[in-house]
Amino acid sequence: MGSTSLFEVIVIKKISILEIFKMLFSHASFNPGKTVVFKTQALTMRSAKKAHFQVDGEYLGKVNQLSALLIPDAIKIMVPAAR
């Protein structure tokens, strides 16, 4: 059985400079009171108020709905064989 591909969704419930630095520069655990990490293949998020969203490093602005779907084998990557 092959492995199932998943992507991560990081929800920051309360903005904290320390949590942002943890995400950018270390592998330290997130504070569960401020940050939640989900792993999934598909996602639809809605919020009552518009919120800042970033997807794969691309800032999408303030939105109140977002959908994402992982498409297996959508990209083929070729690398040279090891010698």
Side-chain angles (χ1 to χ4, degrees):
M1 178 190 285
S3 66
T4 302
S5 296
L6 301 172
F7 63 89
E8 286 187 343
V9 177
I10 302 171
V11 177
I12 302 172
K13 297 188 289 185
K14 184 174 180 182
I15 290 292
S16 161
I17 297 299
L18 180 58
E19 293 302 309
I20 292 170
F21 278 117
K22 282 182 188 179
M23 284 189 287
L24 294 174
F25 302 111
S26 77
H27 297 287
S29 297
F30 297 118
N31 179 337
K34 297 178 183 176
T35 308
V36 181
V37 179
F38 299 96
K39 293 183 183 199
T40 187
Q41 291 181 316
L43 169 81
T44 298
M45 291 176 59
R46 292 181 192 92
S47 65
K49 296 185 201 176
K50 289 189 173 187
H52 297 279
F53 277 94
Q54 176 184 340
V55 177
D56 264 351
E58 181 179 345
Y59 179 66
L60 300 180
K62 290 179 92 173
V63 298
N64 61 350
Q65 183 170 328
L66 179 74
S67 294
L69 173 66
L70 187 66
I71 303 171
D73 302 321
I75 298 175
K76 302 285 185 195
I77 298 175
M78 297 173 53
V79 296
R83 294 183 185 213

